Every structure is written in C-alpha cells, then in structure tokens.
Amino acid sequence: MKIKVWTDDNNRLLNWAYMNDSRPVGSTDDGQQIIEVDSTNGLYENHSSVIDGQAVPDAGYDPDADKPTPEPSPEQQMIAALYARVTKLEDGGKNE
C-alpha cells in the first residue's frame, strides 16, 4: 500500500496518510514523500524515521508505554469496597 509521509529536516516522521495506489512513489508537489509499505505497523509519529523510502521505528520504542493507566471509576471503587466488606462478613471478621 502507498502512504504519504510528512517529515522534518532530519527525516523524522511527523504525520502520514493513506494514498491511492495509482500514485507514483517519490516526492510530491508539496514537498512530502509517497512511499510504499507492507503494513502501517511501526509508523509511530515522532518515534520513526523515513530512511531510503522506508519507515523505521526507533529502537526500543514501546508505543504502549505512552498510554496512561486508567484510574478506577467511582463505581469500580464502590464495588471493590463492597466486595471487601462482604468478604470480611463471610469470614467472620477473622482477617481484620
């Protein structure tokens, strides 16, 4: 498949978009590049470079590390507290 890539002066990937497969590979009129890729995996904006027409992800970059861990909702917190109280009642308060 073909994609259009926007890069900075150091060939760092800033953005990308799908392109029509009939478009030729190479530079575009607006100064960007059209490249051909097998998969969009590894197209991490600000964490990849475009080298010889290929997107190369940064070594050791973990895309999941940037995702914040969600806080439990108030409902989830209430359910956990209720579960703890029920467990305490069921064991007769032995594990206080």
Side-chain angles (χ1 to χ4, degrees), residues 47-90:
H47 296 284
S48 300
S49 296
V50 177
I51 301 170
D52 295 328
Q54 297 295 314
V56 180
D58 293 348
Y61 174 65
D62 180 5
D64 294 327
D66 289 345
K67 295 179 183 173
T69 55
E71 294 292 322
S73 70
E75 293 83 5
Q76 291 169 323
Q77 292 175 5
M78 287 177 13
I79 290 170
L82 180 59
Y83 178 76
R85 289 182 69 188
V86 168
T87 303
K88 182 178 168 183
L89 289 172
E90 287 178 349

Side-chain angles (χ1 to χ4, degrees), residues 10-85:
N10 295 319
N11 288 328
R12 300 288 293 160
L13 181 67
L14 300 175
N15 199 357
W16 65 273
Y18 290 103
M19 290 301 295
N20 187 316
D21 280 336
S22 66
R23 297 286 303 262
V25 170
S27 297
T28 63
D29 293 338
D30 61 357
Q32 310 313 318
Q33 296 180 59
I34 296 176
I35 63 174
E36 192 156 357
V37 296
D38 295 328
S39 168
T40 57
N41 292 338
L43 293 176
Y44 306 122
E45 295 166 353
N46 298 314
H47 296 284
S48 300
S49 296
V50 177
I51 301 170
D52 295 328
Q54 297 295 314
V56 180
D58 293 348
Y61 174 65
D62 180 5
D64 294 327
D66 289 345
K67 295 179 183 173
T69 55
E71 294 292 322
S73 70
E75 293 83 5
Q76 291 169 323
Q77 292 175 5
M78 287 177 13
I79 290 170
L82 180 59
Y83 178 76
R85 289 182 69 188

